[in-house]
Amino acid sequence: MTATPTSAEATHSQAYVDDRAHVFHSWSAQAALEPLVVVGAEGSRFWDDQGNRYLDFASQLVNANIGHQHPKLVAAIKEQADVLCTIAPFHANPARSEAARLICELAPGDLDMVFFTNGGAEATENAMRMARLHTGRHKVLTTYRSYHGGTAGAITMTGDPRRWASEPGTPGMVKFWGPYTYRSAFYSSDDAQECERALAHLADVLMVEGAQNIAAIVLETVVGTNGILVPPDGYLQGVRDLCDEHGIVMIADEVMAGFGRCGEWFAVDHWDVAPDLICFAKGVNSGYVPLGGVIISRRIADTFADRPYPGGLTYSGHPLACASAVASINIFKEEGIIEHARHLGTDVIGPALAEIAERHRSVGEVRGLGVFWAIELVKDRRTREPLVPYNAAGPAAAPMNELAAGCKQRGLWPFTHFNRMHVVPPITTTDEDVRAGLAIIDEALSVADAHATD
Ligand SMILES: Cc1ncc(COP(=O)(O)O)c(C=O)c1O
């Protein structure tokens, strides 16, 4: 059906008009949307059909790790398109084989096989399925303040309000609290105490749920959208130990935290912990072609040596996606992307955010590592009351909306969530552009300050 032309046609491009008439967008009330019509991008910038340019401080959805239109990545996709655009998952294919080998070479421990998916949700779904079949157990533990994807199992695993509309969800999922020292569920006063208490809490949950019933503990290694929650030293090792003690599969969801975001290939490398399964997507190829997957330990892969794995996808290991992953991993190596991520975190973003925290009364805490940072905003630094309530919408969210608008007016595309602004530009962003972006945030924060008390 063709929509009736509206007055919007007079002022907006055809792309905008068609979008409003026919495109149904994620997570949104459709009537309220006014999407930007993005017509191009390069490096850390993208632009719209009105000629507005934005410094991308969100890496789109924290996926464009090597920035936009990287010439070598674009060339690799074109090259693969000339050779072979699609092939069924049961064939072998050079692009897929090489992508799998390169990913396994980077992965920790005995993680040695890859099941490819089209994105993050399918990765967490399949990781959960593998853990259940490997252990013969059903329950899966996940944390509050997490996101694992929008499909049936993944949204039930999710510990944020996006789950609510899909409840009761799939059976067998239990939530626990992960560490978050600034808003500790355990009244901790420092990271060491938070680590100890969060692990004691998890051990209690295992006890009352019956550890022998639990197939997997699923964690975002560093929690992404729900706050850039960096676990205290010792926490992941503690979870690893509990999993080992009880024969539970440890699943690290690195869909957002992996592939350089935290200044390591995988965020778990920061603490030298090897999970049994790692879920990846986003940064593996910066989203140039949809791709995700599960990296599987030998022990779990062996479960399916003589027994079929009951899961699959028409596009598992899609050649265009896999060729782009190969190219992206090579770009990471050739251009020192991991080293640059560490440098940006340690020498540029960390110090600048510490200064911003000093200057603005609305900043309760800044935290992060690599190119994965949060500015947590509060009404009052002493009480830590959030600048806007948890899951605020409409007028209650106004201060954050004003802050985001202030950034956009100044040419920066921000990532905001609840009472936080995340600093997550492409990892390839230059020091100069990162500093320019942080200066814009610094200026725009005066809007948040106006809602905070001294
Ligand atoms: C940690 C984490 N897991 C899973 C997902 C779901 O990935 P996708 O949107 O590709 O399905 C996301 C998406 O933001 C994520 O951040």
Side-chain angles (χ1 to χ4, degrees):
M1 191 187 130
T2 306
T4 317
T6 66
S7 59
E9 242 174 359
T11 48
H12 291 293
S13 65
Q14 192 60 42
Y16 184 89
V17 173
D18 286 346
D19 180 286
R20 298 318 302 122
H22 301 296
V23 178
F24 195 92
H25 286 260
S26 320
W27 306 116
S28 307
Q30 305 299 311
L33 295 175
E34 292 179 23
L36 218 61
V37 178
V38 176
V39 293
E42 191 183 349
S44 299
R45 288 186 170 73
F46 66 94
W47 49 91
D48 67 15
D49 60 351
Q50 313 292 313
N52 300 309
R53 288 171 68 84
Y54 296 95
L55 184 57
D56 187 355
F57 251 46
S59 299
Q60 296 306 296
L61 283 178
V62 200
N63 62 278
N65 286 11
I66 60 164
H68 297 278
Q69 299 298 111
H70 193 296
K72 286 186 187 161
L73 195 39
V74 173
I77 296 166
K78 286 182 177 165
E79 220 170 277
Q80 181 63 41
D82 279 339
V83 176
L84 183 69
C85 280
T86 192
I87 197 74
F90 46 76
H91 295 300
N93 164 259
R96 185 190 299 147
S97 301
E98 191 176 3
R101 178 176 53 77
L102 290 176
I103 290 168
C104 291
E105 283 171 5
L106 298 170
D110 71 339
L111 274 69
D112 208 20
M113 294 199 91
V114 180
F115 177 71
F116 286 110
T117 66
N118 301 295
E122 289 171 353
T124 56
E125 291 281 356
N126 280 284
M128 179 167 64
R129 179 183 281 146
M130 286 172 193
R132 283 177 164 164
L133 292 164
H134 176 71
T135 58
R137 304 173 182 176
H138 187 67
K139 283 195 214 186
V140 171
L141 264 54
T142 67
T143 63
Y144 288 111
R145 302 190 200 274
S146 67
Y147 181 68
H148 297 291
T151 52
I155 202 68
T156 311
M157 292 158 94
T158 289
D160 83 16
R162 282 172 281 188
R163 186 189 71 251
W164 298 347
S166 298
E167 285 179 320
T170 61
M173 310 268 193
V174 176
K175 296 279 176 304
F176 66 99
W177 290 102
Y180 179 13
T181 308
Y182 187 68
R183 296 193 186 283
S184 172
F186 316 108
Y187 306 98
S188 309
S189 46
D190 58 37
D191 280 350
Q193 206 171 51
E194 182 72 354
C195 180
E196 194 188 319
R197 292 181 182 185
L199 286 170
H201 160 70
L202 179 56
D204 277 352
V205 174
L206 293 178
M207 176 180 71
V208 294
E209 292 292 340
Q212 70 280 6
N213 304 314
I214 295 164
I217 296 176
V218 187
L219 293 165
E220 282 186 73
T221 308
V222 174
V223 173
T225 304
N226 281 275
I228 318 285
L229 308 179
V230 183
D233 291 346
Y235 181 73
L236 292 174
Q237 186 58 53
V239 175
R240 176 72 272 178
D241 294 344
L242 284 169
C243 287
D244 289 342
E245 189 184 336
H246 298 290
I248 296 169
V249 172
M250 180 177 180
I251 302 177
D253 180 348
E254 299 229 355
V255 167
M256 195 178 272
F259 283 95
R261 198 38 74 189
C262 294
E264 302 286 347
W265 284 101
F266 296 100
V268 286
D269 299 340
H270 195 80
W271 294 275
D272 227 355
V273 170
D276 301 301
L277 298 170
I278 293 181
C279 302
F280 67 91
K282 296 189 187 262
V284 62
N285 63 350
S286 289
Y288 283 34
V289 183
L291 182 67
V294 186
I295 322 175
I296 312 164
S297 76
R298 265 289 153 204
R299 286 158 294 116
I300 295 179
D302 284 349
T303 296
F304 305 102
D306 301 313
R307 145 191 190 197
Y309 175 64
L313 300 153
T314 299
Y315 303 131
S316 176
H318 192 280
L320 290 182
C322 287
S324 69
V326 170
S328 180
I329 290 169
N330 289 333
I331 290 166
F332 264 63
K333 291 176 180 170
E334 288 158 18
E335 299 185 9
I337 305 280
I338 301 287
E339 294 73 15
H340 189 58
R342 281 185 208 142
H343 156 70
L344 284 179
T346 308
D347 305 325
V348 182
I349 306 176
L353 287 184
E355 284 175 22
I356 283 176
E358 288 282 309
R359 268 198 294 280
H360 296 277
R361 64 185 179 193
S362 60
V363 176
E365 186 179 65
V366 294
R367 55 176 177 264
L369 76 175
V371 194
F372 207 33
W373 291 80
I375 305 172
E376 173 142 5
L377 299 166
V378 292
K379 276 191 176 153
D380 183 324
R381 285 180 173 204
R382 271 157 308 178
T383 63
R384 301 187 180 180
E385 182 188 352
L387 189 72
V388 300
Y390 185 77
N391 201 30
M400 290 304 293
N401 294 339
E402 287 167 25
L403 172 61
C407 289
K408 289 175 193 172
Q409 277 155 16
R410 293 171 172 88
L412 178 132
W413 193 265
F415 183 110
T416 55
H417 184 261
F418 295 176
N419 65 320
R420 284 169 272 105
M421 176 168 284
H422 293 185
V423 175
V424 283
I427 303 172
T428 43
T429 309
T430 61
D431 293 16
E432 196 187 2
D433 277 344
V434 170
R435 288 204 175 94
L438 290 167
I440 288 175
I441 292 174
D442 193 6
E443 245 184 76
L445 276 171
S446 58
V447 168
D449 290 343
H451 295 277
T453 51
D454 258 330

